[in-house]
Amino acid sequence: MTKLNSYLNFDGKAEEAFTFYKSVFGGEFLGEVYRMGNAPGTENLSEEEKNRVMHIALPIGNDLLMGSDIVQSFGQNLTVGNNNYVSIFPDSREEAERIFKGLSEDGDIEMPLEDQFWGDYFGSFKDRYGIHWMVNYNAEFRK
């Protein structure tokens, strides 16, 4: 079966953000943290750009949260926007609360985590790195 994973881009904050995500979700990074400077043809990058993350992955349940930093000298630009969210479906109400509280720390809450008219326990926010998240728990869905 085809699998879909989220991939996030940052402007020099990928490793910091993923270390934070790891502190909330637990686990270990999948493989090493690949750096731009390890790739062929990157000799002319600045030391700061060489140290940027080319790829990082954190297993969360059966899924992967993946990410990298942009490199401006490659013509890449980052526009932080609300055009995508990482949507999480925890196994319990308590886990939903733990994840929401952890990830939203120092972020901007859009919708507080609370019971919604459609029957789910739901909340959304932008974390301190500009990533939009949705936390959604439905007891009926988990039966």
Side-chain angles (χ1 to χ4, degrees):
M1 172 178 258
T2 300
K3 190 172 182 176
L4 179 68
N5 291 304
S6 298
Y7 204 98
L8 309 175
N9 288 309
F10 299 87
D11 190 1
K13 298 279 187 183
E15 187 169 18
E16 178 183 323
F18 270 73
T19 298
F20 170 65
Y21 301 148
K22 187 169 98 169
S23 77
V24 174
F25 292 107
E28 297 298 326
F29 296 134
L30 182 64
E32 64 183 274
V33 177
Y34 295 94
R35 307 257 174 223
M36 296 293 179
N38 297 121
T42 58
E43 303 80 23
N44 294 329
L45 293 179
S46 69
E47 288 305 310
E48 188 273 333
E49 286 183 326
K50 285 180 183 178
N51 197 43
R52 287 186 171 223
V53 173
M54 177 181 290
H55 180 76
I56 190 168
L58 178 64
I60 301 173
N62 293 324
D63 301 312
L64 283 177
L65 182 62
M66 299 179 289
S68 64
D69 286 314
I70 60 140
V71 179
Q72 289 180 347
S73 63
F74 288 170
Q76 300 170 339
N77 292 299
L78 180 72
T79 302
V80 175
N82 63 357
N83 59 334
N84 60 59
Y85 283 75
V86 178
S87 185
I88 300 171
F89 294 84
D91 289 329
S92 69
R93 192 175 178 97
E94 295 74 24
E95 183 69 356
E97 291 169 355
R98 186 189 73 75
I99 290 169
F100 189 94
K101 181 181 178 188
L103 288 177
S104 67
E105 184 179 329
D106 298 327
D108 296 316
I109 295 175
E110 297 170 328
M111 283 184 75
L113 186 61
E114 57 192 17
D115 291 314
Q116 300 296 331
F117 69 91
W118 62 85
D120 293 354
Y121 192 48
F122 174 87
S124 63
F125 56 91
K126 179 172 68 173
D127 74 16
R128 65 178 86 163
Y129 301 102
I131 303 302
H132 288 77
W133 297 82
M134 295 176 180
V135 178
N136 194 86
Y137 174 70
N138 181 311
E140 293 298 313
F141 180 71
R142 290 294 175 190
K143 288 183 179 178

